[in-house]
Amino acid sequence: MPASGSAPGSKPPTIADVARVAGVSRTTVSHALNGLGKVDPRTRERIKEIAQELGYRPNLRAQRLRTGQAKAIALVSSMPFAVAGGPSRLGFYMEVAAAAAESALVHGYALVLVPPVGSVSALNSLDIDGAIVVEPDADDQAVSQLRGRGLPYVALGRPSAAEDEAPYVDLWGDRVATVLLTHLREQGARHPALIVGSGARHSSVDARAAYERLAAEHHWSPVVEAWPETGGEQAAYERCTALLAEHPEIDAICALVDAFAVGAARAVQDSGRSIPDDVLVATRYDGLRARTCQPPLTAVDLHLDRAASDAVELLLAGLRGATAAPTPAAAPAPTLVARASSLRDRR
């Protein structure tokens, strides 16, 4: 077997070198290395071994021209940086990115991370085959640009727009809100307030529906606040301070956006109330913000690693021309992570 690698300063081995050593044509080598054509399995493995021994690396530019594929997918969100960034170090977004990147790489695709900022114009200049859009809003900029380019995409979280029929992985918005609100009631809440983002992301829409249903069932006087995500934690602190003054009867806050929940927790404590004895606090995403808040916030494990992997599989199935169900049946259901912010009975 030939020695591996190339001598310093020498030209890197080419597909012709692999073909010569293997005693086959360049076309056979190309098919063997790219999983194409009808190549005998034993020949395919031998060619792969020779390519590795020689230190052959495919010419990605030539491969792009030949296949028309960039072998790259994007992860993008229109979620404002005030929510996606800050102390969480992109928390939700980066947890999704880590799992999606690993899954994509297994299939030979690179993941391009588009920062969650107000403008997603960078999508127009990226050489990608498709994208995963994290929790698209009703008029999502990323979705609009992907459609404009004719690129396929998968939504992580059910799309809000009625006309959006993209495949998606459901993040169980109704069930998440129901789990949190039921837990707060079991801990003694009788006047809970719901705080959501003012957009139309599925998590906000579903949470409001779940809250209204439970409010009617348990005879709560509904208190629902919808705040712009762009305000982040500080705006939530200011708005929650006013909310508590206007509704002193509030004994629990379910703030879906974790930045809102941290701001709300500060407002509760600065108003002279204690958590959890006077006001219970819970949020949706079990990330760094929830865990490092004082007291730590009750949240939900959304199993984002599995959800992100499922989204990659859905997107790549579409790129291969396969048809898939809109929502993977194996998508895991959310589970409650109860912490000090909502546990009154800790005996």
Side-chain angles (χ1 to χ4, degrees), residues 168-337:
Y168 66 92
V169 176
D170 200 344
L171 293 181
W172 310 111
D174 183 284
R175 193 178 302 188
V176 167
T178 300
V179 165
L180 289 171
L181 291 166
T182 300
H183 167 74
L184 293 175
R185 186 175 185 278
E186 289 171 349
Q187 292 296 309
R190 294 300 176 263
H191 302 283
L194 176 70
I195 300 171
V196 296
S198 57
R201 300 188 197 283
H202 83 100
S203 52
S204 296
V205 173
D206 290 353
R208 292 186 74 145
Y211 178 86
E212 289 166 5
R213 185 183 69 249
L214 291 171
E217 181 181 334
H218 300 301
H219 309 291
W220 297 335
S221 297
V223 178
V224 179
E225 293 281 305
W227 299 341
E229 294 173 335
T230 50
E233 181 182 325
Q234 183 57 33
Y237 169 81
E238 296 165 2
R239 285 173 177 265
C240 193
T241 298
L243 178 66
L244 291 168
E246 183 181 351
H247 293 278
E249 75 279 7
I250 288 175
D251 59 4
I253 294 173
C254 180
L256 267 285
V257 180
D258 58 356
F260 289 176
V262 173
R266 284 174 47 210
V268 169
Q269 293 165 320
D270 286 357
S271 73
R273 298 169 174 87
S274 67
I275 302 174
D277 294 332
D278 298 320
V279 181
L280 306 167
V281 181
T283 190
R284 172 191 179 218
Y285 168 56
D286 181 32
L288 187 60
R289 274 197 181 104
R291 294 192 293 269
T292 59
C293 183
Q294 292 301 321
L297 299 178
T298 287
V300 171
D301 183 355
L302 299 173
H303 305 289
L304 289 179
D305 53 348
R306 174 64 179 274
S309 297
D310 286 348
V312 170
E313 295 294 337
L314 266 181
L315 179 58
L316 297 185
L319 292 176
R320 291 191 297 266
T323 47
T327 308
T335 52
L336 182 74
V337 182

Side-chain angles (χ1 to χ4, degrees), residues 19 54 59 139 146 174 305 347:
L54 290 176
N59 185 322
D139 298 314
L146 289 165
D174 183 284
D305 53 348
R347 291 173 294 177

